[in-house]
């Protein structure tokens, strides 16, 4: 059976070596790169997860993440930022740029291992629900193609991050049902993941902007959560 492949991108060679050694002990196949530029020369489609530093050389981890989220072949690869920038604002910004998780440095290897397992579990679960016959959700001007992981509004494609897509899919699949932040956290991020309430709000705000004049369909129920207006 093929091992799950992980790519570590960090300009500190010692961190690359430590993460590679620790993750390989847990059974993963791990490659490392010392720059975003070097990483972008690889066939990134072969990786199930990317651990990405933010503050590197000429190209930052944020810029690399933005590039990956715009490419059809890498859009859905999970990304975990590992960065010395650890303020709440830094974490929210990182998640807002499409990361699936964010680990401030210095970190413990046990925490990294737990976060890696959690993100991989969510990714595998969301991509392997073959028993679900629904491959397309349509309501009003909205179409969600669950196989292609694409959103269309009035026939025009709307580029969403994986997190945005999963939140919209959750809300739009049950119009009128109010989902609390805890509901959204459990269903989109999965159990055992620490996410700030602000992170969910940021994703909803960004979704509304991307949906343009239909952004109002993602309604707030003060004190309760969010719903998709029927």
């Amino acid at each position: 059976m093929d091992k799950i492949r992980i790519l570590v991108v960090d300009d500190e060679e010692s961190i690359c070596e430590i993460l590679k050694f620790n993750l390989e002990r847990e059974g993963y196949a791990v490659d490392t790169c010392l720059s975003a530029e070097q990483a972008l020369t690889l066939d990134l489609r072969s990786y199930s997860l990317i651990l990405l530093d933010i503050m590197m050389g000429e190209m930052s981890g944020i810029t690399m993440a933005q590039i990956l989220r715009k490419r059809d072949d890498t859009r859905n690869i999970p990304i975990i930022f590992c960065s010395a920038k650890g303020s709440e604002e830094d974490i929210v910004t990182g998640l807002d740029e499409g990361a699936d998780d964010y680990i401030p440095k210095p970190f413990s290897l046990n925490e990294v291992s737990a976060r890696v397992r959690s993100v991989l579990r969510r990714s595998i679960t969301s991509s392997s629900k073959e028993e679900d016959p629904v491959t397309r959700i349509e309501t009003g001007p909205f179409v969600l193609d669950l196989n292609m992981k694409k959103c269309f509004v009035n026939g025009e494609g709307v580029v969403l991050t994986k997190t945005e897509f999963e939140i919209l899919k959750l809300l739009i699949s049950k119009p009128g049902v109010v989902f609390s932040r805890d509901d959204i956290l459990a269903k989109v991020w999965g159990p055992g993941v620490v996410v700030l309430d602000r992170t969910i709000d940021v994703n909803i705000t960004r979704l509304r902007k991307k949906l343009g004049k239909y952004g109002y369909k993602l309604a707030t129920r003060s004190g309760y959560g969010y719903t998709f207006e029927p």
Side-chain angles (χ1 to χ4, degrees):
M1 184 175 180
D2 293 338
K3 293 183 178 180
I4 293 175
R5 300 190 68 198
I6 296 174
L7 177 64
V8 177
V9 185
D10 197 301
D11 61 356
E12 294 187 49
E13 189 171 357
S14 60
I15 289 182
C16 287
E17 292 176 351
I18 290 171
L19 289 174
K20 179 179 175 67
F21 177 76
N22 188 66
L23 293 170
E24 285 184 340
R25 283 179 53 190
E26 299 201 7
Y28 303 109
V30 182
D31 293 326
T32 63
C33 289
L34 296 177
S35 70
E37 292 89 342
Q38 180 188 2
L40 289 172
T41 66
L42 303 178
D43 180 9
L44 297 175
R45 297 171 300 174
S46 65
Y47 295 101
S48 298
L49 174 67
I50 298 175
L51 288 171
L52 182 58
D53 186 22
I54 290 180
M55 296 184 294
M56 294 187 284
E58 293 187 9
M59 182 183 294
S60 71
I62 292 287
T63 300
M64 179 177 168
Q66 291 171 338
I67 292 172
L68 297 184
R69 290 300 180 240
K70 290 178 181 178
R71 285 171 40 177
D72 288 340
D73 61 338
T74 59
R75 178 176 296 143
N76 294 319
I77 299 175
I79 296 172
I80 298 178
F81 279 135
C82 298
S83 176
K85 301 179 70 175
S87 70
E88 179 180 332
E89 181 180 354
D90 292 326
I91 294 172
V92 170
T93 299
L95 295 170
D96 195 36
E97 292 297 339
D100 295 83
D101 205 345
Y102 194 111
I103 307 175
K105 295 178 182 177
F107 48 70
S108 74
L109 293 177
N110 285 337
E111 179 185 12
V112 172
S113 297
R115 298 292 187 102
V116 165
R117 288 194 299 270
S118 178
V119 170
L120 287 173
R121 185 166 57 246
R122 297 201 312 268
S123 177
I124 293 171
T125 298
S126 66
S127 63
S128 64
K129 294 183 177 179
E130 298 179 357
E131 71 280 1
D132 188 352
V134 177
T135 60
R136 190 179 179 92
I137 299 176
E138 297 185 46
T139 178
F142 297 91
V143 174
L144 291 186
D145 188 314
L146 304 186
N147 285 335
M148 297 174 63
K149 308 299 183 185
K150 290 187 176 182
C151 170
F152 300 90
V153 179
N154 283 333
E156 296 291 327
V158 179
V159 177
L160 303 179
T161 67
K162 180 179 178 181
T163 300
E164 291 168 352
F165 185 88
E166 293 299 324
I167 290 175
L168 181 59
K169 183 179 76 173
L170 173 65
L171 298 180
I172 207 171
S173 64
K174 295 185 178 180
V177 175
V178 178
F179 291 90
S180 68
R181 288 184 177 85
D182 288 341
D183 293 332
I184 296 173
L185 173 61
K187 294 179 183 298
V188 174
W189 276 267
V193 180
V194 178
V195 174
L196 303 171
D197 284 349
R198 174 66 177 153
T199 302
I200 297 174
D201 298 339
V202 165
N203 277 279
I204 293 289
T205 299
R206 190 172 57 186
L207 261 174
R208 286 172 175 155
K209 290 181 180 179
K210 290 186 176 183
L211 297 179
K213 66 180 181 179
Y214 298 105
Y216 75 93
K217 299 289 282 185
L218 303 184
T220 302
R221 294 289 183 264
S222 183
Y224 293 98
Y226 296 100
T227 186
F228 183 83
E229 291 285 10

